[in-house]
Amino acid sequence: MDKNIGLNDKVELLEKINEFEKEIYDLKQLIEISKGLNSTLDGNILIESILLTCMGQMLLVKAGIFLQKDIMNDNYLLHRNYKGFELNHRIEYQIAADSKLVVFLQNNFRCYTLEELDNILPDTPCLNTLKAINPDLIVPLSGKGKLNGIIILGDRISENIFSQVEKEYLLDIASLAGIAIDNARLYEMATTDMMTHLKIHHFFKTALADEIKKSLNKKLPLSLIMIDIDHFKNFNDTYGHTCGDLVIINVAEVIMKNIRQSDIASRYGGEEFAVILPGGDISESLIVAKRILKHVETSIVEYDDKELSVTVSIGITQFDPIFDKTTDDIIKRTDMALYQSKENGRNKITFIRAGTKM
């Protein structure tokens, strides 16, 4: 450093150097964060990554995120992966898509405290949802001109208030997160059957191949369930295709409500469904299948002032690396189990073990 530079100038220069080094470090961190957030299209993994990133970068013990529940639901719900907040599990924390809060955040992209929002939007009912959670900071996620979500943060380890620089940094993270969420949502739309909200056939085949690889690598069990609506043609022939669609939707809803969180449900084709059970052996898959069978049988489809009863037939098998060399091997065996359920009177569950002569 030049000896002619005064002490004050040296101090100022060092401060500038430190400031630039901090900016470079932050930019490098954002690049890594961007890589991490865009490395997955799985919604749950993505949300976990966003929350842990915010907590790690800002040294927080509480974080949550409001998102649209699915592609058919516009309202923003608090995602179940929230961290640290002590909440009432019997309450669904929800913000309406057409609320003043959503419209305001969509048009005013910056961080806010709860007090600031209360002053800007006095007597706004949707703020009661946030007040019940009581976060320290609210950060909107923006993507393609719309609000993709709302991050809520609370309780810093250092107990310091958020500086303006930190708020701007959080907005940078939120921008990256908003893009990643939008990409994940587009992927969900491309792989989801719009009528049943289950995964499409192509996604099922790809997911099954992936789960077989995981089963082999981790030496974990894997089961497959196939479900077919009994006498489905009768619904279409007697009441029309609109009624048939309602029956399919009803069965799909029952399936989704009675599988495990890790299971993958898809519409295999027409009135047939498939459920992949990662880590599930025959005993676990039978429990899931029995729940589905029972709840379909006891559910009622209302159509044209009529109450229609529906049943399903179910086939199950467990992946066996000795016999199952391709996805078609396990699908064929499960399909045969399903066929036997139909042959034996329908509304039944059949399990076929690998190696059984068919």
Side-chain angles (χ1 to χ4, degrees):
M1 200 171 287
D2 195 329
K3 293 181 181 179
N4 295 323
I5 297 178
L7 182 60
N8 290 338
D9 292 333
K10 288 181 182 178
V11 172
E12 186 177 338
L13 183 58
L14 286 171
E15 287 177 351
K16 284 289 183 184
I17 291 172
N18 290 335
E19 185 180 322
F20 287 135
E21 286 180 345
K22 176 68 167 60
E23 288 181 10
I24 292 169
Y25 174 79
D26 287 345
L27 287 171
K28 286 181 178 179
Q29 286 287 94
L30 286 172
I31 291 170
E32 293 304 313
I33 289 169
S34 178
K35 288 179 182 178
L37 295 182
N38 287 286
S39 65
T40 181
L41 291 170
D42 185 295
N44 287 324
I45 295 174
L46 177 58
I47 299 312
E48 190 79 3
S49 180
I50 291 169
L51 296 180
L52 292 177
T53 296
C54 290
M55 294 173 73
Q57 293 295 317
M58 296 293 129
L59 300 178
L60 298 159
V61 296
K62 295 180 181 179
I65 186 168
F66 282 85
L67 294 170
Q68 290 164 312
K69 187 175 182 180
D70 53 51
I71 56 179
M72 303 300 291
N73 191 326
D74 287 339
N75 291 338
Y76 296 82
L77 281 76
L78 181 65
H79 195 276
R80 63 179 177 271
N81 284 8
Y82 66 86
K83 314 291 182 186
F85 292 107
E86 295 181 7
L87 304 179
N88 186 341
H89 298 291
R90 292 181 296 231
I91 297 175
E92 190 170 53
Y93 295 87
Q94 184 172 188
I95 298 172
D98 59 354
S99 66
K100 289 182 179 179
L101 175 63
V102 169
V103 173
F104 176 78
L105 292 177
Q106 193 163 279
N107 295 320
N108 299 274
F109 185 61
R110 70 177 185 84
C111 300
Y112 298 90
T113 64
L114 192 54
E115 185 179 5
E116 285 173 334
L117 287 176
D118 203 19
N119 289 331
I120 296 168
L121 303 168
D123 303 318
T124 303
C126 62
L127 277 181
N128 292 332
T129 299
L130 292 178
K131 289 176 182 177
I133 303 172
N134 195 32
D136 294 332
L137 200 68
I138 295 99
V139 186
L141 292 108
S142 181
K144 296 184 179 178
K146 69 182 292 290
L147 191 71
N148 280 342
I150 304 170
I151 296 176
I152 54 172
L153 306 172
D155 287 10
R156 302 195 72 177
I157 295 173
S158 64
E159 297 186 359
N160 294 331
I161 63 171
F162 292 93
S163 68
Q164 188 57 39
V165 172
E166 288 174 324
K167 289 178 181 179
E168 290 173 3
Y169 189 65
L170 280 169
L171 286 176
D172 289 334
I173 294 175
S175 295
L176 296 172
I179 294 168
I181 287 172
D182 198 56
N183 290 338
R185 187 170 289 125
L186 289 172
Y187 179 70
E188 181 186 359
M189 291 175 67
T191 58
T192 299
D193 175 63
M194 299 306 291
M195 187 170 84
T196 62
H197 299 173
L198 303 181
K199 292 301 182 182
I200 60 175
H201 181 93
H202 177 70
F203 181 93
F204 160 75
K205 293 292 288 285
T206 303
L208 181 59
D210 290 342
E211 292 302 331
I212 285 174
K213 289 178 183 177
K214 291 178 186 176
S215 176
L216 290 168
N217 292 336
K218 298 181 180 180
K219 294 181 170 54
L220 293 173
L222 172 68
S223 294
L224 179 62
I225 297 174
M226 296 192 78
I227 304 158
D228 191 80
I229 300 173
D230 295 330
H231 303 295
F232 178 73
K233 188 173 182 295
N234 292 347
F235 293 106
N236 280 338
D237 292 347
T238 306
Y239 304 106
H241 289 281
T242 301
C243 176
D245 288 348
L246 285 176
V247 170
I248 289 173
I249 291 168
N250 177 71
V251 172
E253 288 176 350
V254 171
I255 291 170
M256 285 303 295
K257 288 177 182 177
N258 288 282
I259 60 177
R260 307 170 308 169
Q261 186 176 337
S262 59
D263 297 337
I264 303 165
S266 66
R267 187 179 181 188
Y268 191 76
E271 70 276 16
E272 195 169 358
F273 308 89
V275 181
I276 304 168
L277 294 91
D281 58 20
I282 179 56
S283 61
E284 291 171 298
S285 57
L286 275 171
I287 290 171
V288 172
K290 286 177 181 177
R291 283 203 302 262
I292 293 170
L293 192 81
K294 175 186 173 183
H295 284 89
V296 169
E297 187 180 17
T298 56
S299 67
I300 297 294
V301 176
E302 294 183 0
Y303 179 75
D304 198 19
D305 297 326
K306 295 179 179 65
E307 293 187 346
L308 307 177
S309 297
V310 183
T311 62
V312 294
S313 296
I314 298 178
I316 310 173
T317 197
Q318 185 172 329
F319 171 69
D320 189 316
I322 296 174
F323 294 94
D324 299 322
K325 303 305 179 186
T326 67
T327 56
D328 287 341
D329 293 329
I330 186 172
I331 291 172
K332 182 180 178 181
R333 191 166 63 253
T334 315
D335 202 39
M336 183 57 69
L338 172 61
Y339 176 79
Q340 287 189 13
S341 290
K342 287 188 167 293
E343 285 291 294
N344 293 329
R346 296 181 170 84
N347 195 26
K348 286 182 170 56
I349 299 169
T350 302
F351 167 71
I352 294 182
R353 193 178 302 277
T356 303
K357 290 185 178 181
M358 296 183 283

